[in-house]
Amino acid sequence: MFYKFMKNVLITGVCGGMGAAAAKLLLQDGYTVYGIDKSDLCAVAGVIYAKADLTQPKALDEAAEKFKNVRFDAIAHFAGVYDMNSLIEMSEADFDKIFRINLFGAFRVNKKFFKQLNARGRIIITSSELAPLDPLPFTGIYGITKTALEKYADALRMEVNLLGVSVSVIRPGAVKTNLLGDSTAALDRLCEKTELYSCNAENFRNIVNSVENKSISPEKVAKTLKKALKAKKPKYVYNLNRNFLLRLLSALPKRFQVWIITKIISDKSSKKQCTR
């Protein structure tokens, strides 16, 4: 099988969460793991590491220089950020930042290292269960970037398949990583700072907490990556831990979705939604 010949894997976001779990699992299985992350120190023993902030092209150039003589069999993307915010109230800088990390980061890495991929190489992009679903309030900015990332992956697949390279997407639900803490902190900030949604944000926080209580370990995502590397014909999309209620809601007509969400997160004490 093809996977036996795959030795060198480049992982972004390698120092924490899903990236670290993936690196550890692959190292145990005999892979050579090269990693990129913005952290000053990568605690994953055995990773050949280059520090680089993916939003800074010069830093990525320096990482590419360090790895210039390496032939990669796969590039696995785990770098990303999570945010919850109001699309009306968030700053343009915050709006731009999440795109530069979640979407442009993957674009830059693939462009920079594509010529170093071996024949029949693989690109594996981590998305989110929210990507194919209709957006929820306050998760919109994250969902928008992940939807764009999946559309990018689809378009990239159509092109690089002509060159013998496959593209797969890992689409997990809630995962026990620092991103969960980031989402909680972001929602706390929204509850504290919002002027428009003060009577909605707290109710929405309760919904988010119930979803995140059903999170899976990053090791399960790592096993999915390993499966994608081992498969003779990898799937286009690997789904895991997707929330049934979110999928059900997204399957309803949009008018019903809006009505249901309005009912759920309206101010229950006053029995009316926020108004300006």
Side-chain angles (χ1 to χ4, degrees):
M1 294 179 67
F2 170 57
Y3 78 91
K4 292 183 179 179
F5 300 98
M6 301 186 73
K7 295 297 183 182
N8 298 330
V9 178
L10 175 64
I11 296 179
T12 69
V14 74
C15 295
M18 293 179 284
K24 291 174 184 177
L25 183 63
L26 295 184
L27 286 166
Q28 291 171 4
D29 207 40
Y31 291 80
T32 301
V33 177
Y34 297 81
I36 296 175
D37 200 292
K38 67 177 183 178
S39 297
D40 291 322
L41 179 64
C42 189
V44 183
V47 171
I48 303 171
Y49 179 63
K51 177 185 175 182
D53 183 337
L54 300 187
T55 67
Q56 303 298 321
K58 183 177 179 181
L60 190 57
D61 288 343
E62 293 173 356
E65 178 65 22
K66 183 173 182 178
F67 297 153
K68 67 180 181 180
N69 295 321
V70 181
R71 298 292 299 179
F72 296 108
D73 299 294
I75 301 172
H77 295 270
F78 288 104
V81 293
Y82 192 94
D83 194 11
M84 288 190 181
N85 214 324
S86 156
L87 290 170
I88 293 298
E89 295 176 299
M90 70 186 303
S91 69
E92 184 172 335
D94 286 342
F95 189 90
D96 178 68
K97 177 182 177 181
I98 192 169
F99 272 95
R100 287 190 292 113
I101 297 172
N102 289 355
L103 178 60
F104 290 111
F107 164 79
R108 286 193 180 105
V109 169
N110 290 334
K111 182 176 174 63
K112 181 66 65 176
F113 291 100
F114 184 78
K115 290 183 179 180
Q116 292 174 237
L117 270 178
N118 286 324
R120 299 177 67 193
R122 297 180 181 183
I123 297 172
I124 300 170
I125 295 173
T126 306
S127 178
S128 165
E129 68 170 337
L130 298 181
L133 304 179
D134 288 335
L136 294 173
F138 315 127
T139 65
I141 182 58
Y142 178 74
I144 291 167
T145 61
K146 289 299 186 177
T147 300
L149 182 63
E150 283 211 15
K151 186 60 68 173
Y152 162 76
D154 290 341
L156 182 67
R157 180 186 301 116
M158 291 296 288
E159 293 184 9
V160 299
N161 187 68
L162 299 172
L163 304 174
V165 173
S166 70
V167 176
S168 296
V169 169
I170 297 177
R171 188 189 286 161
V175 183
K176 294 177 184 176
T177 68
N178 289 337
L179 288 182
L180 284 186
D182 293 343
S183 69
T184 301
L187 195 49
D188 288 343
R189 289 193 298 272
L190 175 64
C191 289
E192 292 170 3
K193 295 181 178 181
T194 182
E195 296 179 359
L196 297 176
Y197 301 103
S198 58
C199 59
N200 299 137
E202 185 64 38
N203 291 332
F204 187 72
R205 175 160 53 185
N206 295 332
I207 296 173
V208 171
N209 289 339
S210 67
V211 172
E212 292 183 348
N213 285 336
K214 299 177 182 178
S215 59
I216 59 174
S217 70
E219 285 72 24
K220 287 191 176 181
V221 180
K223 290 179 181 178
T224 302
L225 171 65
K226 184 177 174 182
K227 181 188 295 185
L229 294 177
K230 284 189 170 186
K232 186 174 182 180
K233 293 183 178 180
K235 296 179 181 179
Y236 290 159
V237 177
Y238 291 85
N239 292 302
L240 64 160
N241 195 39
R242 298 182 69 198
N243 185 282
F244 172 75
L245 292 178
L246 290 179
R247 286 184 286 153
L248 179 61
L249 178 67
S250 192
L252 296 174
K254 295 188 187 303
R255 185 175 298 275
F256 286 158
Q257 292 183 46
V258 173
W259 180 83
I260 289 170
I261 291 297
T262 301
K263 285 291 184 181
I264 291 175
I265 69 172
S266 291
D267 184 4
K268 296 180 180 178
S269 62
S270 65
K271 297 184 179 180
K272 63 182 180 179
Q273 67 187 50
C274 291
T275 56
R276 288 181 291 165

